Amino acid sequence: RERSWRDSLLLSALEWTIQFGEDLLDMDLDAITEYSALHPKPSGLILQYGTAGFRTKAEHLDHVMFRMGLLAVLRSKQTKSTIGVMVTASHNPEEDNGVKLVDPLGEMLAPSWEEHATCLANAEEQDMPRVLMDISVKAAVNLQQDAFIVIGRDTRPTSEKLSQSVIDGVTALEGQFHDYGLVTTPQLHYMVYCRNTSGQYGEATLEGYYQKLSKAFMELTKQTLCSEDEYRSVKVDCANGIGALKLKEMEHYVSQGLSVQLFNDGTKGKLNHLCGADFVKSHQKPPQGMEMKSNERCCSFDGDADRIVYHYLDVDGHFHLIDGDKIATLISSFLKELLLEIGESLNIGVVQTAYANGSSTRYLEEVMKVPVYCTKTGVKHLHHKAQEFDIGVYFEANGHGTVLFSKAAETKIRQLTKELEDEKRKAAAKMLENVIDLFNQAAGDAISDMLVIEAILMLKDLTIQQWDALYMDLPNRQLKVKVADRQVISTTDAERQVVTPPGLQEAINDLVKKYKLSRAFVRPSGTEDVVRVYAEADSQENADSLARAVSF
């Protein structure tokens, strides 16, 4: 089998070399053959690289990890940059795992390379050489170029072995690598960004990450004098994941400004089981394993610490969830106030998806006078849109988000801290400068977002109840409807309007007219044959009724 593999690879290389004049014989065929035999693909298994990379049961991923190591080397050679590979399945159950590649500025993998990833992962053993060649030619990869890959993993029992398979792929194509070991997903994004900006964004070490964030947090909050100590204490549900390890490491950096109490820290519970941001958001109830007293500020991370939601119990013991919409509202209101204080007309925009609660959109547009834009579901769409503004705030309702500052805006703000003479304006500019450093602009980051939120609450002297009371969420309901073929439904207007089948949008419009303050939309799932239904109305009963009516 090895001979046929090598012959096939040589033949492909020769064909491509003749056709394109590229030096594609530069791959070490023996090494690739040898390593690939250690990571065989289960026959018939087909996987799709989506927004979250590849995710499935861990036992099906060994060959995928090896091949993503190969692909990362090609991407690194093509971009002449460091590329990241993160082994995680985020908020999925512990027995799952996954992998995603991180592009040069800490962003998600470019869409054309998502296609390459899918082709390479699904290629049968004998076709893999041709697919590798194909990618190299299509993407004009210079195989003589050096490659450097950084690798990280979460705390799943299978992650260490799977990250070794990634390393095998990198080694087979003679790439250089640095294994960061156990890190949160956003920390790996940060490392990639730092390495590709020659350290301008920060130092590409965990120590550098902790120091950058904690320095900005301590600077930002040093003027605040809280009357009560519990203001400065927050309880964190770490989903029994990597967030717990990293918060423990970071604790002493911020202990003077904030006391962090960890729950579901991985010492006894299962990853993401009955806890974590995804569980709390979808079940609208407190995580297990966390003691909550009334009016205490609590938050939940997800399994790889790139999502955060806040929550609390009121005096009557009722549970209140503060999701990504309310986080975006708090942050954008604060940034808008600082800009007004400084007197700068930088343009600020908030990016949401169709799932954002209608009340949050109305509050931002009508009360805060901040423009709101809607994109298709998926972090890459929000991130891309947020890059169009001087200051782009984006959060999905699930708690994944961050704030992006354009280079021009960042330069202007840093300049103002030196030039302004008016004390109040200067102080506001300095606050804004620290906010820039406190956000992880490479990716949504639960640790970074938590520190930003805690700082804003201190500076504005807000309790969690006062934050929650900024606006009342409209009651809503989400349903899933199993269908034979989800592709029958197509949408437009950021997935809020149905195009096909004809007549469906008109039928939804007629149903919506029957309820006050209502809206509803349907969209096909990106991963399974289901259609997702979302409905909002003036009461929970009406939201439920509208969702059911649309489903039928």
Side-chain angles (χ1 to χ4, degrees), residues 395-423:
F395 273 84
E396 289 187 292
N398 63 26
H400 187 290
T402 188
V403 176
L404 305 181
F405 295 83
S406 71
K407 278 280 158 277
E410 194 175 321
T411 306
K412 179 78 182 158
I413 290 159
R414 294 196 194 278
Q415 204 179 335
L416 288 169
T417 61
K418 297 185 181 76
E419 291 174 1
L420 286 172
E421 287 176 7
D422 178 84
E423 283 308 311

Side-chain angles (χ1 to χ4, degrees), residues 78-379:
Q78 189 229 18
T79 57
K80 302 189 174 99
S81 306
T82 296
I83 294 295
V85 182
M86 184 70 198
V87 177
T88 181
S90 188
H91 55 275
N92 281 34
E94 193 172 272
E95 50 277 13
D96 289 359
N97 217 319
V99 59
K100 58 181 178 183
L101 272 64
V102 180
D103 253 359
L105 294 179
E107 336 90 310
M108 299 192 151
L109 188 61
S112 59
W113 280 76
E114 287 184 6
E115 286 174 36
H116 295 327
T118 300
C119 286
L120 188 58
N122 293 329
E124 295 306 330
E125 201 84 5
Q126 66 278 12
D127 301 326
M128 213 178 80
R130 184 170 288 278
V131 174
L132 276 174
M133 292 299 168
D134 206 6
I135 294 167
S136 301
V137 170
K138 276 185 186 161
V141 177
N142 172 10
L143 292 169
Q144 312 262 311
Q145 178 69 38
D146 290 338
F148 197 88
I149 311 301
V150 293
I151 300 156
R153 66 176 193 270
D154 70 11
T155 54
R156 289 163 199 272
T158 53
S159 290
E160 189 168 5
K161 185 174 181 297
L162 290 173
S163 74
Q164 187 53 54
S165 304
V166 174
I167 290 169
D168 283 356
V170 173
T171 310
L173 270 181
E174 298 180 341
Q176 299 295 306
F177 69 90
H178 178 81
D179 182 6
Y180 279 102
L182 291 163
V183 286
T184 69
T185 296
Q187 283 175 336
L188 190 79
H189 283 257
Y190 166 89
M191 302 303 174
V192 173
Y193 197 5
C194 291
R195 283 176 178 269
N196 289 317
T197 51
S198 312
Q200 276 180 297
Y201 187 67
E203 187 193 315
T205 62
L206 278 171
E207 175 77 9
Y209 171 90
Y210 296 139
Q211 285 194 346
K212 180 181 180 183
L213 265 59
S214 58
K215 180 172 178 282
F217 176 76
M218 297 307 288
E219 278 291 312
L220 196 52
T221 56
K222 69 181 179 190
Q223 315 92 315
T224 63
L225 287 166
C226 287
S227 50
E228 297 171 53
D229 270 348
E230 65 260 27
Y231 265 36
R232 291 178 177 269
S233 171
V234 63
K235 290 184 168 180
V236 187
D237 154 31
C238 299
N240 291 312
I242 183 71
L245 296 184
K246 300 297 136 185
L247 266 182
K248 274 179 194 159
E249 289 173 7
M250 188 168 188
E251 242 175 334
H252 74 273
Y253 289 91
V254 295
S255 56
Q256 285 178 302
L258 183 68
S259 155
V260 181
Q261 292 172 268
L262 306 183
F263 296 85
N264 298 319
D265 64 357
T267 48
K268 44 183 189 289
K270 265 182 87 171
L271 177 70
N272 295 322
H273 183 58
L274 304 176
C275 61
D278 194 59
F279 171 83
V280 171
K281 167 75 177 150
S282 51
H283 291 83
Q284 306 266 324
K285 62 182 185 187
Q288 287 195 5
M290 186 183 220
E291 303 151 29
M292 288 174 69
K293 294 186 190 136
S294 65
N295 294 334
E296 277 185 329
R297 226 169 39 256
C298 304
C299 65
S300 290
F301 290 6
D302 70 336
D304 64 340
D306 66 356
R307 290 185 188 185
I308 182 171
V309 294
Y310 270 73
H311 44 89
Y312 69 98
L313 296 176
D314 64 23
V315 286
D316 299 322
H318 294 138
F319 176 76
H320 294 253
L321 173 74
I322 298 182
D323 65 6
D325 297 340
K326 241 173 205 165
I327 291 172
T329 305
L330 178 77
I331 290 168
S332 48
S333 304
F334 178 69
L335 293 172
K336 176 88 189 276
E337 285 164 17
L338 286 181
L339 288 175
L340 287 171
E341 184 75 61
I342 298 165
E344 267 307 308
S345 57
L346 295 172
N347 72 328
I348 181 168
V350 177
V351 188
Q352 299 182 326
T353 70
Y355 287 106
N357 196 280
S359 291
S360 72
T361 313
R362 270 192 285 277
Y363 179 82
L364 284 163
E365 289 182 331
E366 293 168 17
V367 180
M368 291 310 302
K369 307 285 186 240
V370 174
V372 178
Y373 300 83
C374 190
T375 70
K376 284 166 70 174
T377 306
V379 175

Side-chain angles (χ1 to χ4, degrees), residues 450-479:
M450 179 188 82
L451 292 174
V452 170
I453 292 161
E454 290 299 320
I456 294 173
L457 293 176
M458 283 183 213
L459 287 162
K460 292 175 71 68
D461 201 15
L462 281 177
T463 63
I464 193 160
Q465 304 90 311
Q466 288 168 323
W467 172 20
D468 190 27
L470 286 177
Y471 61 82
M472 292 298 290
D473 274 331
L474 279 169
N476 57 83
R477 177 63 63 208
Q478 291 185 44
L479 296 174

